Amino acid sequence: MTALLKTVSRYADANAGPDGIARTPIPGLNTVRATAPSDLVYDISRPLACLVVQGSKHVTMGTQGFAFSAGDSLLITADVPTVSQITRASIASPYYSLVLELDPAVIAELSMQIGAQHVADHAPVRVDPTDAEVAEAALRLMRLLDRPASVPVLQAQLVREMHYWLLAGRHGSAIRRLGWPDGHVQRVARAVAVLRAEFARPLPVERLAAVAGMSASSFHQHFRAVTSLSPLQFQKQLRLIEARRLMLSEGKTASSAAFAVGYESVSQFTREYGRLFGRTPVRDAKVARGRPWPPLEAPIPWRFDISRRTCAL
């Protein structure tokens, strides 16, 4: 992990933006740097593997909390709501992590080749020690960045290798279901893609169920099982997260942010915002702007960009 820390920190120090994310030319691969503990970050995360190489973080999903630090990997295997916070970071010893978005197509191909069995592991979030093979594959992937000419030639096989070691190691049973093309996770993911793209519009559950290829009742059941939320709750959280970004990053008023994300009633928006974030919109914006830690600066989603799929863990 020492060599991986040096490589990740060198790249992150040179390339991290104001939000701490250093995007790489390798699709789905980013590094994260922070020099102070963070505020709470609300998100609906996509499937990913996050390798922490220095510092520590805490992630909550529902009633479950996960603390992890250098040498640990966070694995998220479904689109689920999370609340995260960097808990140990300083100027002298920043928080660093490497994040890889999981590719269901690669997982499906590898599962077929290695004859992986379907294992009933339905936990969408988990933390485990990073396997040595995963860390070594991540190191080789990061070292490509020192030789830009090698990236287009070698990136695909090294990304595939990292997926292989994740699948073959202790994380395997948790990510295997991502590769089931007609499984419930992938069907729900198709509906989630529509929700992310059109969250500001009314979306009848019948349309989402049709996209997933399920009956309305079956869809509702499997959607909640995969994401821990109902489709309506999922859409509501997307709206509230984007509204918060609009207020903190673009200076919009609570009412303009509410209407921009699809609310018709400011009072309803205020109530639901308070339930999720613990403060009224106006109070939350004032408190957040008074902190030295920067507010949400990237456009919605990963940490909030649906189209760019940029991960903020």
Side-chain angles (χ1 to χ4, degrees), residues 131-156:
D131 289 324
E133 295 85 356
V134 172
E136 290 168 5
L139 176 60
R140 287 194 294 276
L141 196 55
M142 287 297 299
R143 282 177 172 167
L144 283 186
L145 304 178
D146 295 329
R147 299 177 179 177
S150 69
V151 172
V153 178
L154 298 176
Q155 65 175 13

Side-chain angles (χ1 to χ4, degrees), residues 213-225:
M214 301 179 184
S215 67
S217 59
S218 178
F219 170 72
H220 197 280
Q221 175 185 349
H222 290 301
F223 191 98
R224 183 179 286 277

Side-chain angles (χ1 to χ4, degrees), residues 153-172:
V153 178
L154 298 176
Q155 65 175 13
Q157 67 192 61
L158 288 177
V159 168
R160 186 174 183 276
E161 181 188 351
M162 192 164 169
H163 276 76
Y164 170 81
W165 288 119
L166 285 166
L167 186 60
R170 72 183 80 218
H171 304 291

Side-chain angles (χ1 to χ4, degrees), residues 23-209:
R23 297 169 178 85
T24 79
I26 299 173
L29 182 72
N30 300 292
T31 65
V32 180
R33 175 182 186 268
T35 57
S38 75
D39 193 4
L40 297 177
V41 175
Y42 296 79
D43 195 6
I44 293 183
S45 298
R46 297 178 186 269
L48 61 85
C50 173
L51 283 62
V52 177
V53 294
Q54 184 164 282
S56 61
K57 195 163 190 173
H58 189 274
V59 170
T60 301
M61 189 202 76
T63 59
Q64 292 183 292
F66 304 85
F68 53 107
S69 56
D72 292 330
S73 290
L74 170 74
L75 196 71
I76 299 179
T77 59
D79 296 76
V80 292
T82 59
V83 182
S84 61
Q85 182 178 35
I86 294 171
T87 54
R88 188 169 73 246
S90 66
I91 294 176
S93 183
Y95 167 89
Y96 293 108
S97 65
L98 178 148
V99 183
L100 178 70
E101 298 169 20
L102 298 176
D103 188 330
V106 174
I107 293 170
E109 178 191 356
L110 289 170
S111 295
M112 185 179 300
Q113 291 184 4
I114 66 178
Q117 299 297 314
H118 291 188
V119 178
D121 187 339
H122 300 293
V125 180
R126 60 186 296 164
V127 171
D128 285 304
T130 302
D131 289 324
E133 295 85 356
V134 172
E136 290 168 5
L139 176 60
R140 287 194 294 276
L141 196 55
M142 287 297 299
R143 282 177 172 167
L144 283 186
L145 304 178
D146 295 329
R147 299 177 179 177
S150 69
V151 172
V153 178
L154 298 176
Q155 65 175 13
Q157 67 192 61
L158 288 177
V159 168
R160 186 174 183 276
E161 181 188 351
M162 192 164 169
H163 276 76
Y164 170 81
W165 288 119
L166 285 166
L167 186 60
R170 72 183 80 218
H171 304 291
S173 61
I175 69 172
R176 201 160 285 137
R177 62 183 184 148
L178 282 172
W180 302 350
D182 202 37
H184 294 145
V185 173
Q186 286 304 311
R187 290 187 177 197
V188 167
R190 294 198 291 268
V192 165
V194 173
L195 278 163
R196 287 186 180 274
E198 303 180 34
F199 64 89
R201 299 172 53 185
L203 290 169
V205 70
E206 291 77 13
R207 179 189 168 195
L208 297 172

